[in-house]
């Protein structure tokens, strides 16, 4: 699969170099690859080893992978034609046969997906459409392409059903958002060749490619890294190329300045030391020779943002380098994780508790990355949440603070989860309440997975005898158990920890209020999805019973202290300043 994809990319690269330098050796290389694949394609059987659920390809197991590969190869072909490269009669017959067979299979699989499986919103559909659009543009068949724009499951319809009204792809995965957006942009590129401009096209509820691009700019952290929500990698070279292509096109067509940090980060992952533009994506899709990468663009402040239909919220405050992202929305289907009310805590220099995404799908560790215990949320008795949708009860941003109140009552039978996040210019308060109405008490478990281990004078490593009292945590049969390695002992109910994002860099301080019957532990877990073989140290704040309240404060610089002034009043003291916060049943958290 990777070799086929690589050779198609070589064909496109060679065509682009020929277009730039007029050295015919590159045109010849590109043409040879295109014609050789065109000649071979009819000889590939429909894949005999494909799994039963797949729409089968010829060169690939899946028609999905074949459609992606074909768009790269056909883009090389049309670029050569644009530059006056001539194909012989025999070569053209082979290319025509390839285009015909490809059209037949893509049309057939669209029929299966849209009509037989009633699954038109599938991300497959966007790529089957893109492949067909490439075929029609290569043959100059404007009428067929126009019909595909307006057909059931076609470009406009898929935009209406495959993207939420708040502009995020329906599976709630950043990776698949980029994946589908790239297919749309390829379709639009081919439509332009047939004198149809789709760049301003909208779905039935206002969904648009411009809106999807803007959503990426809002989701990214201050370094330009996109969060790995649900299935998808944290970082991977082919993904970085896809991000660069989408960001280059987004800048070209929509001038979204917020894409600049994303583009710089993608190019860093592609090997550019300073994030400057390089390679195929910059050459083919960039509108200008350079990007104005100014400190003003890279550090332009952004406000908080709620995606009500997709179920994400980002909290930011102008003077606080900390920010947060919470997932409370739909499960996400086959690409969803059991992660409702997951919190990503971000600093402007680095994200401390990211969503770890997922390892490649063939890995035996893949199930771990979908479990509740691998996310920064609450589990019961070591078991994962049910697939469900939470809600946002309140979201508010003022000059003084940003507040989000997220709730779930379907993660477990007879259980209600409430997460309150209050971000001021000085600190972030995370108050997580759990209430059980079931008969039996449970082990209620608050998890946090930082990318660096916490440091604390109150942390004691477990002795051999302690480990008898604290056996490893069992997740499921096919996953390794998680050893408990340490315990944090409170002083006046507070535990203070710090995280060093770099040896000489910023320190993030975390304070936990450890209430009676609670314990705060450190747990060894698999690493993040880039390299799960390097273990990480997670925090486990847990309490047995039918009700629990987990209270944590994060601050840059010196730490804070937390005091329980009354049942519904908290005191947060930082650098001698006391702030009182009240929790009201109907209004949530208020600074009083």
């Amino acid at each position: 699969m990777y070799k086929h994809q690589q050779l198609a990319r070589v064909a496109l690269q060679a065509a682009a170099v020929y277009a730039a330098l007029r050295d015919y050796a590159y045109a010849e290389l590109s043409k040879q690859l295109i014609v050789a694949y065109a000649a071979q394609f009819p000889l590939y059987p429909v894949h005999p080893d494909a799994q039963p659920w797949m729409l089968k390809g010829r060169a690939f197991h899946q028609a999905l992978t074949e459609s992606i590969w074909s768009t790269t190869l056909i883009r090389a072909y049309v670029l050569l034609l644009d530059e006056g490269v001539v194909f012989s009669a025999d070569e053209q017959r082979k290319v025509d046969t390839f285009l015909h067979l490809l059209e037949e299979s893509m049309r057939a699989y669209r029929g299966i997906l849209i009509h037989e499986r009633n699954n038109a919103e599938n991300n497959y559909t966007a790529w089957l459409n893109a492949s067909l659009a490439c075929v029609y543009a290569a043959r100059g068949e404007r009428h067929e392409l126009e019909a595909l724009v307006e057909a059931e499951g076609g470009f406009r319809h898929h935009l209406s059903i495959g993207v939420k009204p708040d502009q995020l792809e329906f599976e709630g995965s950043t990776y698949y958002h980029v994946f589908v957006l790239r297919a749309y942009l390829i379709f639009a590129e081919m439509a332009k060749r047939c004198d149809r401009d789709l760049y301003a096209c909208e779905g039935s509820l206002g969904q648009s490619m411009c809106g999807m691009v803007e959503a990426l700019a809002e989701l990214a952290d201050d370094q330009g890294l996109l969060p790995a929500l649900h299935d998808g990698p944290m970082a991977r070279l082919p993904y970085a190329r896809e991000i660069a292509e989408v960001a280059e096109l987004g800048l070209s067509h929509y001038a979204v300045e917020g894409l600049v940090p994303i583009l710089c980060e993608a190019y860093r992952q592609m090997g550019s030391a300073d994030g400057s533009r390089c390679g195929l994506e910059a050459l083919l899709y960039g509108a200008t020779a350079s990007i104005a990468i100014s400190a003003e663009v890279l550090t332009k402040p952004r406000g908080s943002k709620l995606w009500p239909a997709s179920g994400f919220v980002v909290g930011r405050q102008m003077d606080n380098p900390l920010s947060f992202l919470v997932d409370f929305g739909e499960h996400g289907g086959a690409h969803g994780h059991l992660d409702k009310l997951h919190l990503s805590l971000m600093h402007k220099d680095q994200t401390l508790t990211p969503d770890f995404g997922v390892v490649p799908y063939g890995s035996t560790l893949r199930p771990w990355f979908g479990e509740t215990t691998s996310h920064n949320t609450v589990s019961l008795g070591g078991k994962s949440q049910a697939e469900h949708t939470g809600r946002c009860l309140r979201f508010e941003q003022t000059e003084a603070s940003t507040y989000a109140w997220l709730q779930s009552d379907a993660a477990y039978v007879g259980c209600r989860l409430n997460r309150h996040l209050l971000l001021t210019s000085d600190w972030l308060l995370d108050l997580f309440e759990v209430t059980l109405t079931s008969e039996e008490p449970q082990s209620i478990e608050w998890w946090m997975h930082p990318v660096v281990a916490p440091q604390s004078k109150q942390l004691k490593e477990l002795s051999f005898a302690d480990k008898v009292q604290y056996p490893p945590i069992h997740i499921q049969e096919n996953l390794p158990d998680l050893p408990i390695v340490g315990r944090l002992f409170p002083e006046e109910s507070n535990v203070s920890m710090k995280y060093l994002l770099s040896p000489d860099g910023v320190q993030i301080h975390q304070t936990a209020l450890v209430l009676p019957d609670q314990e705060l532990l450190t747990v060894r877990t698999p690493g993040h999805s880039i390299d799960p073989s390097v273990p990480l140290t997670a925090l486990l704040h847990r309490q047995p019973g039918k009700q629990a309240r987990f209270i944590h404060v994060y601050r840059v610089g010196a730490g804070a202290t937390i005091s329980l002034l009354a049942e519904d009043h908290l005191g947060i003291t930082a650098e001698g300043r006391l702030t009182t916060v009240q929790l009201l049943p109907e209004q949530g958290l208020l600074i009083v």
Side-chain angles (χ1 to χ4, degrees):
M1 179 187 75
Y2 287 123
K3 192 65 177 179
H4 284 327
Q5 298 279 26
Q6 179 194 21
L7 289 174
R9 183 176 172 84
V10 168
L12 183 54
Q13 287 179 153
V17 171
Y18 171 69
L21 301 182
R22 315 309 292 180
D23 183 337
Y24 196 76
Y26 291 97
E28 190 60 34
L29 170 59
S30 181
K31 188 166 75 163
Q32 284 178 359
L33 285 167
I34 293 165
V35 172
Y37 267 124
Q40 180 65 26
F41 196 74
L43 306 180
Y44 290 125
V46 173
H47 210 294
D49 298 324
Q51 297 177 35
W53 61 268
M54 291 178 177
L55 301 175
K56 298 179 180 181
R58 289 176 176 268
F60 299 82
H61 280 69
Q62 294 193 67
L64 174 63
T65 325
E66 193 149 287
S67 63
I68 298 167
W69 165 80
S70 71
T71 64
T72 307
L73 207 60
I74 297 172
R75 286 164 112 181
Y77 171 67
V78 297
L79 180 53
L80 290 179
L81 294 182
D82 288 348
E83 298 301 322
V85 175
V86 176
F87 287 71
S88 70
D90 181 58
E91 290 169 339
Q92 192 60 54
R93 276 195 297 273
K94 291 173 181 175
V95 171
D96 291 343
T97 299
F98 164 65
L99 294 174
H100 172 71
L101 288 172
L102 186 68
E103 179 193 14
E104 278 192 335
S105 60
M106 296 297 124
R107 287 171 64 92
Y109 290 135
R110 281 187 83 258
I112 292 171
L113 203 57
I114 296 167
H115 302 294
E116 293 183 20
R117 297 185 182 178
N118 196 29
N119 192 204
E121 71 275 12
N122 198 300
N123 60 60
Y124 258 62
T125 311
W127 278 101
L128 299 178
N129 288 343
S131 180
L132 280 171
C134 287
V135 170
Y136 297 144
R139 297 196 304 216
E141 296 174 343
R142 177 176 176 175
H143 177 76
E144 284 76 5
L145 193 143
E146 288 274 6
L148 188 58
V149 171
E150 305 300 339
E152 182 180 0
F155 182 89
R156 192 189 304 276
H157 184 219
H158 193 272
L159 186 60
S160 299
I161 61 175
V163 179
K164 296 282 192 179
D166 56 19
Q167 308 295 345
L168 290 177
E169 196 264 347
F170 81 99
E171 292 164 293
S173 159
T174 321
Y175 174 80
Y176 283 99
H177 180 92
V178 171
F179 187 68
V180 168
L181 177 55
R182 181 170 174 248
Y184 288 165
L185 288 165
I186 290 172
F187 195 119
E189 175 191 333
M190 294 298 121
K192 192 73 171 177
R193 299 180 64 86
C194 295
D195 300 319
R196 178 69 186 272
D197 190 343
L198 294 177
Y199 290 102
C201 181
E202 292 191 352
S204 59
L205 297 174
Q207 302 96 324
S208 68
M209 290 187 290
C210 181
M212 294 178 75
V213 165
E214 290 172 339
L216 291 175
E218 291 280 1
L219 274 173
D221 71 10
D222 289 327
Q223 297 300 298
L225 273 167
L226 294 171
L229 303 170
H230 296 182
D231 272 0
M234 293 180 73
R236 199 177 295 162
L237 179 58
Y239 183 37
R241 289 171 175 163
E242 292 169 7
I243 292 170
E245 180 179 328
V246 164
E248 288 282 16
L249 289 167
L251 278 168
S252 298
H253 294 288
Y254 306 114
V256 177
E257 277 191 343
L259 292 172
V260 173
I262 296 172
L263 197 58
C264 292
E265 176 58 31
Y267 283 126
R268 277 192 288 269
Q269 292 183 26
M270 292 160 65
S272 172
D274 60 356
S276 58
R277 301 166 81 204
C278 58
L280 179 65
E281 285 69 26
L283 177 63
L284 272 185
Y285 312 119
T288 58
S290 64
I291 300 172
I293 303 176
S294 66
E296 182 181 354
V297 171
L298 290 175
T299 60
K300 190 173 182 178
R302 294 172 293 167
S304 301
K305 175 77 175 181
L306 173 68
W307 287 270
S310 299
F312 298 103
V313 60
V314 170
R316 302 184 180 101
Q317 278 298 118
M318 181 76 71
D319 297 327
N320 196 333
L322 297 178
S323 58
F324 66 82
L325 178 137
V326 181
D327 174 356
F328 65 88
E330 292 181 13
H331 173 66
H335 296 299
H337 291 181
L338 304 170
D339 62 353
K340 292 311 107 185
L341 276 53
H342 162 91
L343 168 70
S344 290
L345 175 63
M346 300 171 284
H347 184 273
K348 66 181 182 64
D349 290 341
Q350 184 181 347
T351 296
L352 177 64
T353 64
D355 194 314
F356 289 149
V358 75
V359 288
Y361 288 160
S363 170
T364 56
L365 270 179
R366 183 191 176 188
W368 160 251
F369 291 90
E371 294 283 336
T372 301
T373 48
S374 75
H375 292 84
N376 308 314
T377 186
V378 161
S379 62
L380 293 186
K383 297 178 181 178
S384 278
Q385 300 173 359
E387 296 181 9
H388 74 289
T389 303
R391 62 182 70 88
C392 179
L393 295 186
R394 185 176 162 205
F395 170 69
E396 180 180 82
Q397 181 171 37
T398 68
E399 286 189 14
S401 65
T402 298
Y403 174 56
W405 175 5
L406 299 318
Q407 187 182 86
S408 159
D409 56 11
Y412 302 93
V413 175
C415 174
R416 172 162 288 179
L417 309 176
N418 284 287
R419 188 162 214 164
H420 302 268
L421 292 154
L422 179 62
L423 179 68
T424 72
S425 60
D426 194 32
W427 40 256
L428 169 65
L429 169 63
D430 175 16
L431 192 158
F432 205 134
E433 289 192 309
V434 184
T435 304
L436 306 182
T437 59
S438 56
E439 295 295 326
E440 295 296 323
Q442 297 266 6
S443 172
I444 305 171
E445 302 141 348
W446 178 99
W447 288 92
M448 175 179 168
H449 298 267
V451 293
V452 292
Q455 299 179 15
S456 175
K457 294 178 181 178
Q458 297 163 265
L459 174 61
K460 306 295 182 185
E461 291 187 9
L462 294 188
S463 66
F464 179 79
D466 292 331
K467 291 179 181 179
V468 175
Q469 181 183 351
Y470 292 97
I473 297 168
H474 180 71
I475 305 301
Q476 59 165 275
E477 291 302 322
N478 297 323
L479 291 175
D481 290 346
L482 309 178
I484 298 173
V485 294
R487 182 174 178 183
L488 292 127
F489 292 88
E491 297 175 4
E492 297 181 354
S493 300
N494 276 216
V495 168
S496 179
M497 296 158 280
K498 67 179 179 182
Y499 302 91
L500 303 179
L501 295 184
S502 61
D504 56 350
V506 69
Q507 295 184 9
I508 297 177
H509 285 262
Q510 177 181 6
T511 305
L513 183 65
V514 182
L515 298 170
D517 298 327
Q518 292 185 352
E519 54 187 0
L520 191 58
L521 306 168
T522 57
V523 181
R524 193 79 71 234
T525 70
H528 50 56
S529 61
I530 298 174
D531 188 356
S533 70
V534 179
L536 292 172
T537 301
L539 280 179
L540 171 59
H541 192 170
R542 70 183 180 186
Q543 175 181 336
K546 300 178 67 175
Q547 190 167 342
R549 182 181 286 182
F550 304 106
I551 302 170
H552 296 254
V553 170
Y554 305 91
R555 190 170 186 271
V556 175
T561 60
I562 311 171
S563 52
L564 191 60
L565 304 177
E567 180 62 26
D568 60 350
H569 281 72
L570 287 175
I572 300 170
T573 304
E575 296 185 354
R577 298 187 305 273
L578 172 65
T579 304
T580 303
V581 179
Q582 185 177 13
L583 180 61
L584 297 175
E586 300 300 323
Q587 294 174 271
L589 286 179
L590 297 174
I591 296 176
V592 295

